[in-house]
Amino acid sequence: MSINWFPGHMAKARREVEENLKKVDVVIEILDARIPHSSHNPMMDEITRHKPRVVVLNKVDMADPKATEAWVSKFKSEGKYPVALDGRHNQIIKKIEPLAVKATAEIFERMEKKGIGRRATRAMIIGIPNVGKSTVINNIARKKGAKTGNTPGVTKQQQWIKAGERMELLDTPGILWPKFEDETTGRKLALTGAIKDTVVPLDEVAIYGMEFLMEHDLERFNRFYNIDVSPEDGIVEVFDAIGRSRGLKAGGNEINYEAVTNRLIYDIRNGKIGRYTFDTAEES
Ligand code: G4P
């Protein structure tokens, strides 16, 4: 489900997150490992001010491993507790729980000094739509198909899920809005499926992705589409080559550019061409 984020939605989403934050010791922010900067809601830092933060770089199976390492180091240097994973794997709790416990160690030491006994670390998941929040929660809860939805303001009866031996997790994630800092951010969000089509013109998304891939690994790009384009070729030449190679014709010999656009987006979004990270840790 996708929604348009109007100021009313944003205010409501923020209020809900702030309400839930009072109940937890640690925040688990889910980011898309391919766009750790663009999938981060800037309001997050303001809202979660004093809470320790575990950062899950999700969908790591589709991200560039070297770039992921750089992002993990960057988040560590900022005092956060990062972990890169594939949210669909059923062992993720073994990665997340120790980090959440470590992130909250000081809180519980202070409580113990006051004579308050150890209880489970309480956590909640926060992120923009489509980064994998439901996948992670359902995986931890071992439920199948319980989509949490992307609509803020739908109040549900919340429950704590037992997440490992020492952690409890709110079963409803906090949903924040994607930011549109600039056109490139919008294109990256669309390219990775964080925002679903229509918001950003699809041809711009496809061209951005195509140019990124050609710049980063032209050989792989050519191999994947079984074409032989060079950096000097224009957009139309590259689209023509892909259209011919994939048989995407509009009738006669005309190339169906819409089909090429959709194919490019599909292949990049689903990691078919290879593993790419569109935000670099050094620049963010
Ligand atoms: P959300 O709650 O944050 O909105 O996201 P959700 O869990 O629904 O995940 C969005 C899509 O991302 C799902 O695909 C899900 O399977 C996929 N996904 C989640 N984690 C990972 C991961 O680590 N690796 C990969 N490759 N995919 C992951 P979907 O069911 O096909 O949904 P959609 O593409 O139709 O939105």
Side-chain angles (χ1 to χ4, degrees), residues 31-37 55 57 60 63-84 275 277-284:
L31 299 175
D32 186 319
R34 297 167 296 174
I35 48 165
H37 176 74
V55 177
L57 290 161
V60 73
D64 175 349
K66 277 223 156 58
T68 300
E69 265 176 44
W71 275 107
V72 166
S73 302
K74 182 180 165 68
F75 286 126
K76 273 188 189 156
S77 74
E78 291 173 354
K80 293 169 190 150
Y81 295 82
V83 59
R275 300 171 68 169
T277 300
F278 301 96
D279 287 337
T280 53
E282 297 75 25
E283 283 169 26
S284 300

Side-chain angles (χ1 to χ4, degrees), residues 31-268:
L31 299 175
D32 186 319
R34 297 167 296 174
I35 48 165
H37 176 74
S38 307
S39 59
H40 166 75
N41 175 301
M43 190 76 84
M44 183 76 186
D45 303 323
E46 198 187 313
I47 304 178
T48 60
R49 264 183 314 254
H50 305 300
K51 301 277 176 188
R53 183 142 20 126
V54 171
V55 177
V56 171
L57 290 161
N58 193 37
K59 308 198 185 188
V60 73
D61 53 297
M62 294 195 282
D64 175 349
K66 277 223 156 58
T68 300
E69 265 176 44
W71 275 107
V72 166
S73 302
K74 182 180 165 68
F75 286 126
K76 273 188 189 156
S77 74
E78 291 173 354
K80 293 169 190 150
Y81 295 82
V83 59
L85 49 82
D86 176 340
R88 300 163 306 170
H89 274 199
N90 57 16
Q91 297 294 318
I92 55 171
I93 191 60
K94 292 199 174 133
K95 293 187 174 175
I96 296 176
E97 188 200 6
L99 276 186
V101 170
K102 200 166 151 195
T104 52
E106 257 181 48
I107 299 174
F108 287 105
E109 271 166 32
R110 276 203 303 274
M111 282 165 77
E112 262 163 41
K113 277 191 190 136
K114 288 185 196 161
I116 304 167
R118 183 82 168 88
R119 58 163 171 76
T121 293
R122 291 185 188 137
M124 75 175 288
I125 280 178
I126 304 183
I128 66 167
N130 299 314
V131 287
K133 297 179 300 298
S134 329
T135 306
V136 168
I137 292 176
N138 293 341
N139 198 342
I140 291 174
R142 304 218 173 280
K143 282 190 293 190
K144 282 246 179 314
K147 173 86 180 153
T148 47
N150 287 326
T151 315
V154 181
T155 314
K156 285 198 300 187
Q157 191 62 43
Q158 282 181 328
Q159 284 177 5
W160 291 102
I161 301 165
K162 190 171 154 44
E165 290 306 314
R166 293 165 295 171
M167 184 168 104
E168 285 172 359
L169 182 67
L170 267 188
D171 69 349
T172 323
I175 304 163
L176 292 176
W177 51 95
K179 65 172 172 201
F180 290 89
E181 217 169 48
D182 50 36
E183 282 182 343
T184 311
T185 309
R187 288 170 191 159
K188 290 177 186 175
L189 287 163
L191 197 58
T192 52
I195 51 174
K196 295 290 161 113
D197 314 336
T198 67
V199 187
V200 184
L202 285 187
D203 51 347
E204 287 176 17
V205 176
I207 292 166
Y208 170 78
M210 179 195 89
E211 287 176 343
F212 185 95
L213 264 53
M214 285 179 67
E215 208 174 287
H216 280 77
D217 196 340
L218 183 64
E219 203 190 309
R220 190 200 281 177
F221 183 75
N222 272 328
R223 206 177 332 117
F224 181 80
Y225 286 112
N226 198 17
I227 55 177
D228 186 20
V229 294
S230 74
E232 288 74 45
D233 287 322
I235 293 163
V236 175
E237 274 112 337
V238 180
F239 269 53
D240 281 346
I242 295 174
R244 274 196 305 275
S245 165
R246 290 288 191 255
L248 303 170
K249 304 273 174 69
N253 240 355
E254 291 284 299
I255 299 296
N256 182 343
Y257 291 113
E258 199 184 327
V260 175
T261 300
N262 291 334
R263 179 65 68 91
L264 265 166
I265 293 175
Y266 174 86
D267 289 338
I268 301 172

